[in-house]
Amino acid sequence: MNGSEIYHRLIGLIEDRVLKPGDRLREADLAEEFGVSRTPIREGLKRLEAQGLAIHEPNRGMVIPTLDHGQINEVYFMREVLEGTAAGLAAKHASKPEIEILQDLVDADRKRITDEDSLVKSNRDFHRRLCLASHNRYLVDQIDHLRLSLILMAGTTLDTPERRETAVEEHAAIVSAIAAGDSIAADAAARRHISHAHKTRLQQI
């Protein structure tokens, strides 16, 4: 297992909340867990640090950082701009199969409102596919980079049945606008969705 593979494994552990903000990242412990030497662990941690997903703290070493109030605002501001743009572009460029897949996700999500873990994973898939439907590789790259910051936030904005239901219907509105080829409505629907998620996130602090 090389440094790149270790990096992606660590990303997965942070996404799945096995590793949480504030947790220490000890080379020796990780090397033992992954069954490798410290060299690929060190390489993986350096890449995490370069992405802002690990920092050095005095007397603690490498840890997973916690985003403060200002950083959360900054991340959601950029999400609103970028994902709104992605939805608007998707209304112009998404293929019929891409739109059908997004609609299928919405239909399935309406049946899993009570299953938080399943919906959280499906929510990630929806946003990933929405961005890919923009057919703009540079925009997708920017959103992917921004999403790395999202995994540093504790918990999920889908922690109540009410919010889960609302979020799914917001997804439905985005897909409806994309299917209609209405880029302005798709942009507005996506921005509204991210804005509501932003408010929910701040209420959790």
Side-chain angles (χ1 to χ4, degrees), residues 8-41:
H8 288 292
R9 287 283 298 274
L10 290 171
I11 289 288
L13 291 174
I14 297 172
E15 271 191 324
D16 293 337
R17 303 299 171 191
V18 176
L19 292 173
K20 303 178 181 64
D23 284 355
R24 296 177 66 182
L25 298 167
R26 300 180 180 90
E27 284 185 16
D29 292 346
L30 292 171
E32 182 178 354
E33 180 178 346
F34 293 131
V36 297
S37 70
R38 291 195 184 193
T39 299
I41 296 296

Side-chain angles (χ1 to χ4, degrees), residues 92-154:
K92 295 178 179 180
H93 304 300
S95 65
K96 183 178 179 182
E98 286 175 317
I99 296 171
E100 289 175 348
I101 289 172
L102 288 171
Q103 185 60 58
D104 288 345
L105 282 171
V106 170
D107 292 342
D109 286 347
R110 284 176 170 143
K111 300 174 183 177
R112 55 166 69 104
I113 297 296
T114 58
D115 187 346
E116 180 180 329
D117 290 341
S118 178
L119 193 62
V120 166
K121 291 178 181 178
S122 179
N123 179 64
R124 288 192 203 127
D125 192 27
F126 178 89
H127 283 274
R128 180 179 66 85
R129 290 182 179 280
L130 171 64
C131 293
L132 290 173
S134 72
H135 290 259
N136 186 307
R137 72 190 71 180
Y138 301 104
L139 181 60
V140 171
D141 285 345
Q142 290 299 312
I143 293 172
D144 282 345
H145 181 71
L146 189 65
R147 282 220 185 96
L148 291 176
S149 297
L150 288 174
I151 69 175
L152 295 176
M153 298 181 191

